Amino acid sequence: MSDQPVAIVTGGASGIGLGIATALMGEDYDVFVLDNDLHHVDDYNASHPLSRARFCDVSDALAVATEIDGVLHVVGRIDLLVNNAGISGPTAPVEAVDPSEWQKTLDVGLTGAFNVTRSVAPIMKAQSSGAIINIASNAGLMGCPNRSPYVAAKWGLIGLTKTWAMELGSFNIRVNALCPASVRGSRIDGVIERDALARGITPEAVREVYQRQSSLRTFTRAEDISAMVCYLAGPGGQRISGQSIGIDGHTETLTNWLGS
Ligand code: NAD
């Protein structure tokens, strides 16, 4: 049994998840990453001595169960699960969303979190301790036009956060969701470009509107999210459960488009 606390971070081989994994290692966690990008998994393992990243598609329940069993076999406990893996899905009006894209977005962002949580919950219950953090979005708290599958996945994740907090609370397991706004990085650049294309305007104009949606008129930084993960997992977070916490400079709206 490991004498370090153990964390699982899904989608942790790049992007926000990599930032979370790195911050948790800084807090002395033994971090295991489940990610379905082989290239990023290889890169992660090449730069982390214990090769703790595993290739795993979180939408595949059997693969997830096998990987979680493997982690338990190696370290004997799981203290923290961060359900971070998610895809942005299509940017399109509802009638133009392909059903396969709808399904894929939900399979990764919603079913993926269910798959990992259902494998980890019995382990945390047996320990009578644990914390689960779901990386949702401000799009899980309000409507966001042209993002139907993503919004559905994130609202679903917030509903599961409440439900799992209730189911698992008496086992001393806390469950919370984090709701970032747009985070600087390659993923949001892609969302902005697709939105600009759909609206026939420039990416700069889209970026400007996204920033105006927040009271602080700014994007979230990846480090804002990892700092909150560490806080919730640490001593300050011990009485916090069932919450969906905005890390978004206070999103006022996701719809302040002139003329739309
Ligand atoms: P990203 O696309 O940069 O990284 C996602 C990571 O998840 C990648 O390493 C990818 O390989 C992995 N992944 C994708 N599908 C997977 C699967 N089926 N199984 C396992 N791993 C998988 O995304 P990001 O910007 O780092 O976003 C991380 C989380 O934060 C997502 O849930 C996203 O919805 C949420 N979020 C992001 C933003 C943003 O602006 N980037 C804003 C709010 C919320």
Side-chain angles (χ1 to χ4, degrees):
M1 166 93 72
S2 172
D3 50 9
Q4 272 177 287
V6 175
I8 307 269
V9 181
T10 70
S14 73
I16 294 166
L18 177 59
I20 293 171
T22 306
L24 287 170
M25 281 184 269
E27 299 287 318
D28 202 33
Y29 274 83
D30 189 355
V31 179
F32 288 79
V33 158
L34 304 184
D35 201 292
N36 78 335
D37 184 312
L38 198 50
H39 179 65
H40 285 141
V41 166
D42 285 346
D43 281 355
Y44 185 100
N45 285 334
S47 54
H48 294 83
L50 292 173
S51 297
R52 295 299 208 206
R54 275 99 209 269
F55 176 80
C56 179
D57 179 348
V58 293
S59 68
D60 178 342
L62 190 59
V64 166
T66 304
E67 292 304 334
I68 296 298
D69 268 2
V71 171
L72 193 63
H73 185 70
V74 174
V75 284
R77 59 192 279 180
I78 297 174
D79 300 281
L80 173 66
L81 164 63
V82 184
N83 282 313
N84 165 77
I87 56 173
S88 38
T91 302
V94 60
E95 67 276 16
V97 173
D98 189 282
S100 68
E101 288 194 287
W102 162 269
Q103 194 58 52
K104 178 143 198 257
T105 311
L106 286 159
D107 283 350
V108 179
L110 185 60
T111 307
F114 161 75
N115 287 338
V116 188
T117 302
R118 73 180 282 281
S119 289
V120 166
I123 298 164
M124 291 184 171
K125 278 185 169 181
Q127 295 166 179
S128 294
S129 69
I132 298 172
I133 300 174
N134 296 320
I135 306 301
S137 167
N138 57 0
L141 298 169
M142 46 184 68
C144 183
N146 298 329
R147 298 290 300 279
S148 293
Y150 186 70
V151 165
K154 296 305 189 185
W155 276 75
L157 203 48
I158 287 175
L160 291 177
T161 300
K162 286 277 179 203
T163 300
W164 294 340
M166 291 172 179
E167 280 186 29
L168 301 173
S170 62
F171 296 90
N172 189 31
I173 300 165
R174 297 174 297 107
V175 187
N176 291 288
L178 301 186
C179 302
S182 300
V183 179
R184 284 185 197 289
S186 57
R187 175 196 167 106
I188 203 66
D189 290 347
V191 170
I192 286 171
E193 271 177 30
R194 289 192 292 279
D195 205 356
L197 205 61
R199 293 174 188 277
I201 58 177
T202 65
E204 291 67 34
V206 174
R207 194 176 297 275
E208 159 74 16
V209 169
Y210 283 14
Q211 290 198 172
R212 272 197 280 115
Q213 292 170 338
S214 148
S215 299
L216 290 184
R217 304 288 188 263
T218 185
F219 283 1
T220 302
R221 300 167 303 183
E223 59 265 35
D224 299 325
I225 302 168
S226 41
M228 184 56 85
V229 167
C230 292
Y231 180 80
L232 285 175
Q238 296 304 305
R239 291 292 177 273
I240 302 175
S241 193
Q243 304 304 306
S244 298
I245 302 168
I247 308 185
D248 61 346
H250 182 232
T251 306
E252 298 172 11
T253 175
L254 291 173
T255 57
N256 64 351
W257 293 93
L258 296 173
S260 70

